[in-house]
Amino acid sequence: MSRDRTSGGAAPAAREAAELPPYAERVLDVADLIPPGRVMTYGDVAEWLGDGGPRQVGRVMALYGSAVPWWRVVRADGALLPGHELRALDRYREEGTPLRGAPRGVEGHLPRLDMKRARWDGEAGGHGPDGGEEAHIRQLRPSDPAGTGAGPVGETPGADGTRT
């Protein structure tokens, strides 16, 4: 899924100099995988990759996120990205992303994402008609590099080894 995410108008030498760091490429690849109408938090992306944390993912998205569906990588509280609220809200409405209304006392009365319904766990099921993303997902996400039994976001292994 890797693709040129550098400036299209730059000279070839400038594009080579602007090559993305490997971690940034991996974060952007995950953002590309999130289905329309679903979201992952910055922490979810880091957990899914098994590397970095929410701040590192946020930094990548701030620097390079315009090349991917940036509105699908969000804050854990469901608040819309400051400075981009209206653009993101338009995208959420186009994609049918679950929203919940803002309380009347909140400035601007902007809705928030309904994280219980909108959050994507990173599983390939339902992502595309042919499931062609599954092999790519396995490449991006090491199966269990630390031997922790880590599974999809939010899952932990039970005593018998099954996912809970």
Side-chain angles (χ1 to χ4, degrees):
M1 175 156 300
S2 184
R3 63 176 182 224
D4 181 19
R5 292 189 173 102
T6 58
S7 170
R15 276 190 222 128
E16 287 177 26
E19 186 174 317
L20 293 177
Y23 183 75
E25 188 69 37
R26 290 175 59 216
V27 167
L28 298 179
D29 281 347
V30 172
D32 272 335
L33 293 174
I34 303 169
R38 304 300 296 273
V39 298
M40 289 180 91
T41 68
Y42 298 110
D44 289 344
V45 173
E47 182 181 339
W48 195 84
L49 289 171
D51 193 12
R55 289 181 185 217
Q56 289 84 359
V57 171
R59 182 73 175 151
V60 167
M61 294 303 294
L63 292 174
Y64 310 110
S66 65
V68 298
W70 55 267
W71 59 93
R72 297 182 193 152
V73 181
V74 301
R75 294 172 37 158
D77 65 0
L80 305 185
L81 183 64
H84 301 280
E85 298 95 340
L86 297 179
R87 287 179 42 215
L89 189 56
D90 286 343
R91 299 286 187 149
Y92 297 138
R93 287 181 173 148
E94 285 173 16
E95 295 182 356
T97 307
L99 300 169
R100 58 186 179 94
R104 288 277 178 206
V106 175
E107 184 181 330
H109 306 291
L110 286 173
R112 287 181 179 241
L113 293 160
D114 183 339
M115 295 302 291
K116 287 182 182 176
R117 294 178 30 222
R119 200 171 202 168
W120 186 55
D121 66 3
E123 286 298 297
H127 183 75
D130 62 357
E133 296 292 342
E134 274 188 53
H136 183 67
I137 288 170
R138 283 192 296 272
Q139 288 174 345
L140 279 177
R141 184 175 188 201
S143 58
D144 190 11
T148 62
V153 174
E155 288 189 0
T156 55
D160 61 356
T162 61
R163 302 271 175 215
T164 58

